[in-house]
Amino acid sequence: MLTDRLRAFCLIGLLGCSSPPALADSQLQQLLLDQEYVAAWQRAQSLEAELAGDPAFDFLYAQAALAAGKADYAVFALERVLLQQPDHHRARAELARAYYHSGNWDAAERHFQRVLAINPPANVRANIQQFLDAIERQRSLLSSRWSAFVELRSGYDSNVNSATTETTVSTPAFGVIPLSASSTEQSDHFLDKNAGFIWQKPLAKTRGLFATLQYRDRENFDTQTSDLRSIGVSAGPMFAVAGGRLTVPLNAQTLYLANERYRNLLAVSANWLRPLTAEDDVTLFAQLGSIKYPGQSARDVDTALLGIGWDHRLAEPEVAFSLSAYLGDEDTQSSAAQQNGKDYYGVRLAADWAFRTDHSLYANLTGQWSQHDAQDAVFAVTRKEDFAQLVLGWAYEIAQPWTLSVELSAIENNSTIALYEYDRRQVLLGVKYRFE
């Protein structure tokens, strides 16, 4: 909230004249300038009975209330100011912010638009636009909407089967074992065919339903044994909870390898997204589920995942950042195959820079660290892995709804077992069409 407060003081300071209004209490103003917000609110309350109704005091009182998280108190004080001074643009900007924090989006938008109508400085307009964008995000949390996309991507993959470059591996019991060609690194060109659909429908002011469908299909030109295809469905209720949106989906996904069913996932999740300020959102997420491998029951595991995410947006330059961290556990369902269970944790950092209205650059970096639950029976060592992935891309909106993209990615996976150690590089060109 501190960033929001400082930005708001900057916003109102650029409206109207450069000097503050006549002071009703210099000590209260100084406490606000010193960011002593608890003391400022206490001081404002102590003077309310004596000075309420004086525009200069009401303005400072509202500042203290907002800084203390008392938006409703600020609304009443600022409405008193505007009743006496309708052209007090600084007070109107603060009133809009107070309405925003109290959850009255319509009133906040109305007053922000009135401030924009006086053509304030560029910095003020940019700050107000962030609030207006945040209002739209809040409205969309439980709004009725749908969207879909189809996408084609083609490129080169240096390691389509995520395999080691070694041609042999050494084991304590069996000595040196030669690896088949399909168990070592294979490069190839590929074609991705992807599609997705998102739908949500409010049933009441505070609840609704949503569903998503995702299809991904990668065909390699020569190495069909590594072709991958997945179909995923997610659906469930959504609720307005504690100033944010809570979704509780049931997730099902099937992964096919070389046109044969390879893995099934069934899980229930909980995801809570809450805007904190005009620039910041926080997300909490959790999942419980099961992964099964048809014909390979020793690999079946029960899964648990818990994580937190943070999104931050800048107005100038137009950059969006996100940071998330998670930890998970996979418990094998077979007591005789404990080496297939593992604990893991990871972090992900992403950024997107819209340097022009139709061009953006994006990047994300993922790191994950894992340790299996028991020693591998063949290699006589506990498997530990460090995974890192870097993705860099450029997206160009040719013309709505068409987007062209170029993407580079690099993966490094280090393991205590040589068979699972690999690196991978990809470059691709894609085109996407969106329906809305």
Side-chain angles (χ1 to χ4, degrees):
M1 295 295 293
L2 180 58
T3 300
D4 185 43
R5 292 169 183 159
L6 294 177
R7 191 174 58 79
F9 284 125
C10 178
L11 184 154
I12 63 170
L14 290 169
L15 286 169
C17 59
S18 59
S19 59
L23 296 181
D25 185 79
S26 59
Q27 183 180 348
L28 176 54
Q29 189 209 26
Q30 190 60 49
L31 288 170
L32 288 168
L33 291 174
D34 293 340
Q35 299 177 25
E36 298 287 345
Y37 299 124
V38 173
W41 176 233
Q42 292 172 345
R43 177 70 177 172
Q45 287 180 299
S46 70
L47 296 171
E48 182 179 9
E50 177 186 354
L51 299 177
D54 175 70
F57 170 77
D58 284 342
F59 184 79
L60 292 176
Y61 177 93
Q63 295 265 321
L66 277 170
K70 309 291 184 180
D72 290 339
Y73 289 85
V75 167
F76 292 127
L78 291 164
E79 284 180 339
R80 290 197 300 266
V81 174
L82 290 173
L83 279 174
Q84 298 184 58
Q85 301 178 1
D87 294 329
H88 195 321
H89 304 304
R90 295 168 63 180
R92 191 172 301 282
E94 283 294 82
L95 178 59
R97 187 166 71 98
Y99 274 128
Y100 171 84
H101 286 297
S102 65
N104 190 335
W105 318 127
D106 292 341
E109 182 180 45
R110 183 170 65 252
H111 286 285
F112 276 132
Q113 292 292 356
R114 289 188 65 175
V115 176
L116 288 177
I118 69 170
N119 194 27
N123 287 350
V124 176
R125 292 198 302 272
N127 287 333
I128 290 176
Q129 188 58 52
Q130 284 198 307
F131 277 106
L132 294 175
D133 291 343
I135 290 170
E136 286 305 308
R137 288 195 302 274
Q138 288 277 18
R139 285 171 171 164
S140 70
L141 291 181
L142 289 176
S143 64
S144 181
R145 67 186 181 94
W146 71 273
S147 64
F149 75 90
V150 291
E151 180 182 45
L152 285 177
R153 309 196 308 173
S154 186
Y156 172 79
D157 190 332
S158 70
N159 190 353
V160 295
N161 53 341
S162 298
T164 180
T165 58
E166 303 293 333
T167 57
T168 63
V169 293
S170 179
T171 66
F174 306 105
V176 176
I177 300 176
L179 298 177
S180 65
S182 61
S183 298
T184 60
E185 180 181 279
Q186 299 181 68
S187 62
D188 203 351
H189 294 84
F190 63 85
L191 177 66
D192 283 346
K193 295 166 287 182
N194 306 322
F197 175 79
I198 299 174
W199 169 85
Q200 67 179 43
K201 176 71 175 179
L203 301 177
K205 187 175 181 180
T206 61
R207 66 184 186 275
L209 296 174
F210 76 97
T212 67
L213 173 66
Q214 193 166 65
Y215 174 82
R216 296 190 176 277
D217 185 1
R218 170 165 291 197
E219 289 188 47
N220 299 301
F221 286 17
D222 298 318
T223 53
Q224 282 77 29
T225 54
S226 295
D227 287 354
L228 290 173
R229 184 171 77 255
S230 67
I231 302 173
V233 178
S234 178
M238 57 184 183
F239 309 92
V241 175
R245 182 185 66 176
L246 174 67
T247 58
V248 188
L250 180 65
N251 309 295
Q253 184 193 62
T254 297
L255 177 66
Y256 296 86
L257 176 62
N259 290 320
E260 296 289 336
R261 184 173 296 193
Y262 176 70
R263 186 183 70 197
N264 297 319
L265 165 70
L266 184 64
V268 61
S269 302
N271 304 278
W272 181 65
L273 169 67
R274 186 184 190 280
L276 294 178
T277 70
E279 308 95 349
D280 300 280
D281 299 336
V282 65
T283 304
L284 301 176
F285 54 93
Q287 184 180 82
L288 292 173
S290 175
I291 299 175
K292 294 185 178 294
Y293 296 83
Q296 305 177 69
S297 59
R299 299 185 63 187
D300 295 349
V301 293
D302 295 319
T303 68
L305 179 71
L306 183 66
I308 184 170
W310 169 66
D311 297 322
H312 178 71
R313 293 164 295 275
L314 299 177
E316 293 182 4
E318 191 174 337
V319 180
F321 298 97
S322 66
L323 175 65
S324 60
Y326 60 88
L327 56 87
D329 176 72
E330 295 182 0
D331 284 331
T332 180
Q333 298 176 6
S334 171
S335 59
Q338 293 299 309
Q339 71 274 10
N340 290 327
K342 67 179 181 181
D343 300 318
Y344 61 93
Y345 63 94
V347 294
R348 183 176 185 272
L349 175 64
D352 189 299
W353 175 31
F355 62 95
R356 283 180 47 181
T357 56
D358 53 354
H359 290 269
S360 64
L361 297 174
Y362 60 90
N364 62 71
L365 178 64
T366 303
Q368 180 173 295
W369 298 265
S370 61
Q371 178 173 325
H372 284 243
D373 294 339
Q375 191 177 85
D376 188 278
V378 175
F379 294 94
V381 65
T382 299
R383 182 177 169 185
K384 299 179 183 179
E385 292 185 340
D386 300 335
F387 172 91
Q389 181 179 34
L390 174 65
V391 176
L392 301 174
W394 163 68
Y396 169 45
E397 189 177 87
I398 308 168
Q400 288 188 346
W402 293 93
T403 302
L404 180 72
S405 62
V406 176
E407 187 173 288
L408 307 173
S409 70
I411 293 175
E412 296 284 346
N413 191 69
N414 297 313
S415 177
T416 53
I417 298 177
L419 181 63
Y420 304 109
E421 190 160 291
Y422 68 92
D423 59 70
R424 188 173 183 178
R425 306 289 183 268
Q426 295 184 76
V427 56
L428 60 87
L429 175 67
V431 61
K432 178 184 289 187
Y433 183 89
R434 291 188 176 275
F435 306 86
E436 292 182 331

